[in-house]
Amino acid sequence: MDYKKIIAAAVFAATDAALNEEEIYRLLEVPKQENLGDYAFPAFALAKTFHKNPAVIAEELATKVKSDYFDHVEAVGPYLNFFLSKNVVSNEVIKQVLNEGADYGYFDEGHNGNVPIDMSSPNIAKPMSMGHLRSTVIGNAVANILAKRGYHPIKDNHLGDWGTQFGKLITAYKLWGNEEDVKKDPIKNLVAYYVKFHEEDVEHPELDDEARLWFKKLEDGDEEAHRLWKWFSEVSLKEFQRVYDILDIQFDIYNGEAFYNDKLDEVVELLKQKNLLEESEGAQIVRLDEYNLSPAVILKSDGASLYITRDLATAIYREREFDFAKNLYVVGSEQTHYFKQVQAVLLKMGFESAKEMHHIPFGLITVNGKKLSTRSGRIILLEEVLNDSMDLALKMIEAKNPALPNKEQVAREVGVGAVVFNDLKNERILAEDFNLEEILKFEGDTGPYVQYTHARGQSILRKAQELAITGSDYALDDANAWVVVKQLEKFPEIVKEANDRFEPSVIAKYTLKLSQAFNRYYGNSKILADDGGIHARLGLVQATATVLKESLRLLGIKAPEQM
């Protein structure tokens, strides 16, 4: 039930249609102080129509606006403040959550429209470091939220399996590599070769020329270059899968950059047909002056492709293959200008679908204030961080609740959930500094705090099973319960906002507010007291646990039953 619509209809009826209901709806506010009601309508908007002081208009309307959903309406200065009926609204909201269960908050906005999501996208022959966490978990949460709004997300792990870095890696392997070492510990040794290349090319810039030559050989189908590339790719994918298994994240397709290698000629040909290509210092470029963007370099002077060549082919393929409703790219904010170039080139080529291309940027992740970099050797492996988090969670459980059943599984869910929640709780554009011990605390703005709140609710419900409680009325007029009810009522709106903004932090912040409200209620109420209100109180507990579990699921986090 949208209670703002009820208020808008009541105001509309009382003001002789001075404003339409949609206009009134948009003007409604939530007062900053709870003692000022649940919603407020600013009477300023009617001053010109009625030629009266807004405060006088509010006073007059306070006696005219009526609804069974209102406990009372009062004028406070120029505002008309609405106090919803706690009994009526709590009964409706709790019933709706319990009836709909995990489907609460679902809305078929997307009509099953396809939405490819370019996410995670680690580079072959490099480990998955903490730097890969953000694209992976943000993309996964965005996909879950889109599905909740009726879209069909298609998670595409657009692997970095092509490009000049392979020329560098092949060069390094040829100079310093050893097949047996790579077989024993593939990623560790391949990264060591890559780092050594960047150390050596400072004094020996001719290494860059050799790397470019090897990549050109790879593009031209050279047998040795292709054999090494395929080998590096296979061992890397095995390493990546272990991390994805820990995170419990699956992908629909793994179309890496190499997948589009045979589609690049068409891109170049289409650009030529549109007379968009021109030569600049030997390279082929597309000018984007009308978009206030720098020229997009499509082919280098040696004829080799670039990232943008392959991303143009990717976008065209996705339009043809999926007829997408939206085309999303979860990539760091440092690539914002680049994705504007990709979109602009597509629009100049005549691909109107590019209007639904959205770059979902995010800030850097640092560990103890230091930026991560593969080429400089400053790597913190994501798998190691996840394992450390799970180990620390297990130690905490053994110290606080050693008799907990399935404590290893709970530690896994808490440890992984803590890492994911910490990443998603702040707006994605902000940088994130990672501190393992802070994120695993069971109080404060953490994933374990939300998970523990859910587990607390489940504990109450398990105790209540012995009481054989029945009833059909969920009316509550307790002030602390009311705060929880209002949070529950907001959930569908929260999902919509998170979807509209591609912003999982909206849901993460919501879970913290709901948890805080519930824990205040828990601390001030005798939920299991054997009186006439126990059925309604347990309904509120169950509704809260349901919404917390679903909120965590949307973020890609498990909700343990016990902790």
Side-chain angles (χ1 to χ4, degrees), residues 25 32 50 72 140 263 284 349 367 488 537 544 562:
Y25 186 95
K32 292 180 180 178
F50 293 144
H72 65 284
N140 187 59
K263 300 168 179 60
Q284 295 293 312
M349 293 173 75
V367 177
L488 294 174
R537 291 193 297 272
T544 302
Q562 298 182 64

Side-chain angles (χ1 to χ4, degrees), residues 396-423:
M396 294 170 72
I397 290 169
E398 287 177 334
K400 293 184 177 182
N401 190 6
L404 178 71
N406 303 317
K407 56 188 174 184
E408 288 80 10
Q409 180 60 29
V410 174
R412 182 184 184 92
E413 293 176 355
V414 172
V416 174
V419 174
V420 175
F421 190 90
N422 183 67
D423 191 281

Side-chain angles (χ1 to χ4, degrees), residues 107-155:
F107 182 76
D108 190 10
E109 171 191 309
H111 305 298
N112 208 38
N114 290 326
V115 182
I117 306 174
D118 193 311
M119 56 179 281
S120 195
S121 309
N123 288 325
I124 293 298
K126 295 180 186 177
M128 282 192 72
S129 75
M130 279 295 286
H132 295 102
L133 175 68
R134 305 218 68 193
S135 177
T136 306
V137 300
I138 292 170
N140 187 59
V142 166
N144 292 337
I145 294 164
L146 281 162
K148 189 79 171 176
R149 293 291 292 178
Y151 291 94
H152 176 233
I154 300 167
K155 291 183 281 187

Side-chain angles (χ1 to χ4, degrees), residues 49-121:
T49 302
F50 293 144
H51 305 291
K52 291 180 181 179
N53 185 302
V56 173
I57 297 171
E59 283 284 354
E60 292 175 351
L61 287 177
T63 62
K64 293 181 181 179
V65 178
K66 304 290 183 183
S67 170
D68 291 341
Y69 286 96
F70 305 156
D71 181 65
H72 65 284
V73 181
E74 64 181 41
V76 179
Y79 285 90
L80 191 63
N81 290 5
F82 295 83
F83 293 77
L84 296 175
S85 167
K86 293 181 177 65
N87 284 318
V88 173
V89 173
S90 61
N91 186 42
E92 282 194 353
V93 170
I94 294 170
K95 275 184 179 176
Q96 185 180 359
V97 176
L98 298 185
N99 287 338
E100 297 181 16
D103 289 333
Y104 180 59
Y106 175 84
F107 182 76
D108 190 10
E109 171 191 309
H111 305 298
N112 208 38
N114 290 326
V115 182
I117 306 174
D118 193 311
M119 56 179 281
S120 195
S121 309

Side-chain angles (χ1 to χ4, degrees), residues 134 138 333-334 361-367 369-371 422-434:
R134 305 218 68 193
I138 292 170
S333 57
E334 67 276 8
F362 54 84
L364 288 171
I365 188 168
T366 57
V367 177
K370 294 183 179 179
K371 185 179 175 182
N422 183 67
D423 191 281
L424 299 179
K425 72 179 181 181
N426 296 313
E427 292 201 17
R428 55 181 160 72
I429 201 65
L430 300 175
E432 176 203 338
D433 193 49
F434 184 83

